[in-house]
Amino acid sequence: MEMMPCEQPAVRLIGWLSPYVHRAEVALRLKGVPYELLHDDMASKSDLLLTHNPVHKKVPVLLHGHRSIPESLVIVEYVDEAFPAGPPLLPSDPLARANARFWARFLDDKCWKALWVALWAEPGEARAAAAREAKEGLALLEAQLPEGKRFFGGDAIGLLDIAASGVARWLGVFEEMAGVRLLTEEEHPALCRWAREYAADETVRQCLPHRDLVLAVLTPRRGMFVSTAKAMAAHK
Ligand SMILES: N[C@@H](CCC(=O)N[C@@H](CS)C(=O)NCC(=O)O)C(=O)O
């Protein structure tokens, strides 16, 4: 009997030009998983997005055959486990895994919130306090870079590098748009070096949007950033 080749379920990613979508894309590329990017226009969310992420209605969403997986960090871990053939994205040591997860969550739950208010709030005490908190957060992140290593995960890109990719590309664009400096060579030399290393990586470059493109796409959204920062500062 003739052997039929095993059919692999299709891998598709609903996304657009977003740091969260980049996380999912880079995880797939590092694992060597071919995928199709389905662009979703955030102005009018597609039925596909609303069906597969009814809770948050946000990109990215990974479609793996009939399964759908929302949330960028959840996707990164899913990709790591579902495609074990590629290089591991999480360390094998339980404590190192726990640390990578802790700092990845710190970035989203704490550091980016402070960065956002520091970037977009009206000048004043709330913005100054957020800038101090954001800089402290970046310093804490910098302290996680292992001595003599290129990446948070050692010599290969791992979960925390992927989680921090927004710092490597999008933060500089936001800073330029807002006219605010938060990540500086003087205060965060190792993190700046890491950002350059990350952006220069061969696999990352295949899916990291050019800063000019990010700037062009995000500039018209400035007003929305200002209003979300206002709401965040008010709920602090
Ligand atoms: N926690 C989510 C955040 C995703 C997210 O904020 N996605 C944005 C794109 S940058 C989005 O879809 N925004 C649409 C909206 O907020 O309605 C993740 O990590 O995936």
Side-chain angles (χ1 to χ4, degrees):
M1 203 173 99
E2 198 185 338
M3 292 285 286
M4 294 296 287
C6 240
E7 199 153 307
Q8 300 296 325
V11 177
R12 295 175 299 156
L13 183 66
I14 311 175
W16 77 300
L17 191 139
S18 144
Y20 300 107
V21 176
H22 170 73
R23 288 173 171 176
E25 279 204 86
V26 83
L28 289 164
R29 285 181 186 265
L30 287 165
K31 290 299 241 186
V33 179
Y35 65 96
E36 183 189 356
L37 184 62
L38 308 173
H39 279 274
D40 202 276
D41 174 6
M42 287 290 101
S44 58
K45 294 178 183 180
S46 69
D47 287 343
L48 193 69
L49 173 61
L50 299 176
T51 304
H52 290 287
N53 191 359
V55 176
H56 296 298
K57 305 177 178 66
K58 289 184 179 187
V59 293
V61 179
L62 183 75
L63 304 177
H64 184 198
H66 296 297
R67 311 171 194 176
S68 51
I69 304 99
E71 281 292 319
S72 60
L73 294 176
V74 176
I75 294 172
V76 174
E77 293 215 27
Y78 174 83
V79 168
D80 198 28
E81 289 171 14
F83 303 97
L89 302 179
L90 272 102
S92 54
D93 173 66
L95 179 61
R97 284 169 88 86
N99 276 335
R101 288 176 173 137
F102 174 87
W103 289 106
R105 282 210 210 153
F106 163 82
L107 263 161
D108 284 2
D109 296 348
K110 210 161 159 64
C111 199
W112 267 111
K113 287 188 177 151
L115 284 166
W116 207 245
V117 175
L119 284 163
W120 304 114
E122 296 292 329
E125 188 38 46
R127 185 168 100 175
R132 284 193 296 275
E133 189 185 336
K135 281 166 182 266
E136 278 166 25
L138 292 172
L140 284 173
L141 188 64
E142 170 161 290
Q144 305 314 309
L145 278 162
E147 192 80 30
K149 301 284 183 194
R150 293 167 63 211
F151 298 114
F152 288 103
D155 287 319
I157 291 176
L159 175 75
L160 186 50
D161 301 286
I162 296 173
S165 53
V167 173
R169 170 57 32 97
W170 279 262
L171 179 57
V173 174
F174 292 138
E175 286 180 332
E176 186 179 327
M177 285 171 64
V180 171
R181 296 298 308 282
L182 298 161
L183 176 69
T184 63
E185 287 286 348
E186 299 70 45
E187 287 172 279
H188 314 102
L191 198 54
C192 289
R193 182 196 47 70
W194 165 85
R196 284 191 296 274
E197 290 269 9
Y198 180 83
D201 178 85
E202 209 180 306
T203 308
V204 168
R205 283 170 54 177
Q206 294 166 8
C207 59
L208 188 68
H210 193 280
R211 70 178 312 288
D212 295 346
L213 176 66
V214 178
L215 183 63
V217 170
L218 296 186
T219 297
R221 294 173 177 261
R222 194 182 191 287
M224 193 182 74
F225 298 160
V226 170
S227 50
T228 53
K230 206 177 209 170
M232 282 165 73
H235 286 103
K236 210 160 185 263

